[in-house]
């Protein structure tokens, strides 16, 4: 480098700095300007107010370092004024005084950036964007609010759960609006207490929240208080919707009860089978000795008639035991053709002599020459027994029961209608009558399983079952079953 006059070197150094260098008076008039000055020409700005020419202001900038230099008479570094039109950056201004003895003649102002400032700002922007994306992508609801209840964070999951838009929640919603029955106070009380997960924290707290449409939604809440200098400034909560979990839990509970009931019924079946076998032995003896007495002894006519009655009743008991054994026997499903009239008659044989049916008139309207249905005989017994018993119980042992069978016109189906003169079913209950554990009986008088099992049996046989109230009182169950087509006879391999 060729050596020049010191003043020239200084000027070249200022030009090489490639930043704006200003010399202003104590009245903010520009005395000299060098370096980067956008589209401003030097000849146009000398003598003008710096804040007016450079920043279009009517008064000195709030962060002007020359004010501080004038007060302290020392060099000062401060953030510069940064309108949006000024390169989109935030400059730093460094100012120092030009002294003449004890008097300040002018101020020098340099604007520059720290080299790492843009990188730090970009990293901060990326971090904030990542955190925002993380919160809004969360599966659970994330909601934060200040001490006045104004919502500061309301993610997309919260918008979906509560029904408010994000903008609506941030601009007009208070956190207290999300809790019914003033429960927000209770949540804050627990948050501030030492008893629940420690002060400032709340874990797995189950409560209800209120959606925009008024629905109460059960949730599990994880919440904490945000502190700044040991002072509460905000709260944040993570809301987990419990509706699916509670539904699954209820279904599991129903399944467990159904399993217990099935085990109970299986145990009763085994017990009934054991009792039936025990009854068969003395019945055999009664029948044998009654026949021997009739054959080997010369008896009076009255005695022979009495023995005949004993034989008849013993045979009737034997037939009942036989049906009971057949009914309770646990076998594989045997889908075979069966006469529907015979199946219903066998079920009635087991029921009609019970005390419950003593004051019930049973009218059978069996269709003639009906084609057989492809079915499992034991399941059909269960089906008709459940429905007929329900009808008898609904009539409280007094009334009339109709059982009708018929061929469904133009279809390979058989129809069965079982109706009674009972009180009928409330219209609100009809859509739920086939649901498991749904019962209209008094507590302790029904499990709610009978009709659901009947529905399942009909569905398994490819049929359908419906219920309606009769116009003249009572209930009518209508069952439709497909006729045997000869293609699926035999063991279907499904366990009962």
């Amino acid at each position: 480098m060729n050596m020049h006059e010191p003043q020239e070197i200084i000027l070249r150094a200022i030009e090489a700095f490639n930043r704006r260098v200003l010399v202003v008076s104590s009245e903010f008039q520009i005395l000299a300007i060098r370096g980067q000055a956008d589209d401003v020409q030097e000849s146009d700005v000398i003598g003008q107010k710096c804040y007016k020419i450079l920043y279009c202001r009517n008064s000195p900038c709030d962060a002007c370092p020359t004010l501080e230099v004038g007060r302290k008479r020392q060099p000062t570094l401060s953030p510069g004024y940064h309108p949006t039109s000024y390169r989109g950056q935030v400059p730093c201004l460094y100012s120092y005084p030009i002294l003449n003895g004890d008097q300040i003649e002018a101020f020098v102002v340099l604007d520059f950036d720290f080299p790492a400032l843009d990188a730090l700002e970009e990293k901060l922007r990326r971090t904030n964007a990542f955190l925002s994306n993380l919160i809004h992508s969360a599966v659970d609801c994330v909601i934060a609010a200040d001490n006045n209840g104004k919502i500061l964070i309301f993610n997309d999951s919260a918008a979906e759960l509560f029904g408010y838009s994000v903008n609506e929640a941030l601009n007009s919603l208070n956190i207290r609006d999300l809790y019914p029955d003033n429960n927000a106070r209770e949540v804050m009380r627990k948050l501030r207490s030492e008893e629940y997960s420690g002060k400032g924290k709340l874990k797995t707290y189950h409560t209800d929240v209120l959606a925009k449409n008024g629905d109460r939604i059960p949730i599990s809440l994880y919440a904490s208080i945000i502190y700044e200098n040991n002072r509460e400034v905000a709260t944040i909560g993570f809301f987990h919707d419990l509706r699916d979990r509670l539904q699954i839990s209820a279904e599991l509970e129903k399944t467990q009860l159904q399993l217990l009931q099935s085990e109970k019924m299986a145990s009763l079946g085994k017990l009934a089978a054991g009792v039936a076998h025990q009854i068969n032995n003395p019945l055999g003896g009664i029948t044998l000795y009654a026949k021997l007495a009739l054959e080997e002894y010369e008896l009076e006519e009255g005695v022979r008639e009495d023995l005949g009655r004993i034989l008849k009743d013993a045979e009737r008991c034997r037939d009942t035991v036989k049906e009971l054994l057949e009914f309770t026997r646990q076998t594989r499903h045997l889908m075979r053709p069966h006469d529907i009239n015979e199946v219903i008659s066998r079920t009635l044989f087991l029921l009609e002599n019970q005390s419950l049916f003593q004051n019930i008139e049973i009218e059978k309207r069996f269709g003639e020459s009906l084609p057989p249905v492809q079915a499992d005989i034991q399941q059909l017994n269960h089906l008709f027994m459940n429905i007929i018993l329900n009808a008898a119980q609904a009539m409280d042992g007094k009334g009339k029961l109709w059982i009708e069978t018929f061929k469904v016109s133009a279809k390979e189906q058989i129809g069965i209608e079982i109706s009674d003169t009972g009180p009928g079913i409330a219209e609100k209950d009809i859509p739920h009558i086939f649901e498991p554990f749904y019962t209209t009986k008094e507590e302790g008088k029904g499990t709610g399983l009978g009709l659901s099992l009947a529905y399942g049996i009909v569905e398994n046989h490819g049929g359908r079952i419906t219920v309606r109230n009769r116009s003249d009182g009572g209930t009518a169950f209508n069952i439709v079953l497909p006729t045997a087509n000869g293609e699926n006879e035999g063991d279907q391999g499904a366990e009962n």
Side-chain angles (χ1 to χ4, degrees), residues 84 115 131 217 245 293 352 379 400 420 477:
T84 55
L131 288 175
I217 302 171
R245 185 189 298 179
E352 59 189 352
Q379 289 218 334
K400 188 170 183 178
D420 59 61
F477 283 87

Side-chain angles (χ1 to χ4, degrees), residues 190-220:
K190 293 181 183 298
L191 267 172
R192 292 174 176 137
S193 171
E194 295 282 359
E195 300 176 11
Y196 305 93
S197 309
K199 186 177 181 180
K201 291 182 173 61
L202 188 60
K203 296 180 182 178
T204 324
Y205 177 62
H206 290 187
T207 186
D208 288 346
V209 290
L210 203 60
K212 185 178 181 179
N213 61 5
D215 288 348
R216 292 174 73 113
I217 302 171
I219 57 102
S220 177

Side-chain angles (χ1 to χ4, degrees), residues 443-474:
E443 187 174 352
K445 293 189 176 181
T447 63
L449 285 172
L451 290 179
S452 67
L453 290 174
Y455 182 87
I457 290 170
V458 175
E459 288 285 306
N460 289 339
H461 282 75
R464 67 178 184 273
I465 180 171
T466 56
V467 63
R468 62 180 173 82
N469 285 319
R470 299 172 65 243
S471 57
D472 54 348

Side-chain angles (χ1 to χ4, degrees), residues 25 46 89 137 200 275 329 335 338 375 421 454:
S25 70
I46 299 299
Q89 299 177 355
S137 301
V275 171
R329 187 176 295 127
M335 301 293 285
H338 291 285
T421 57

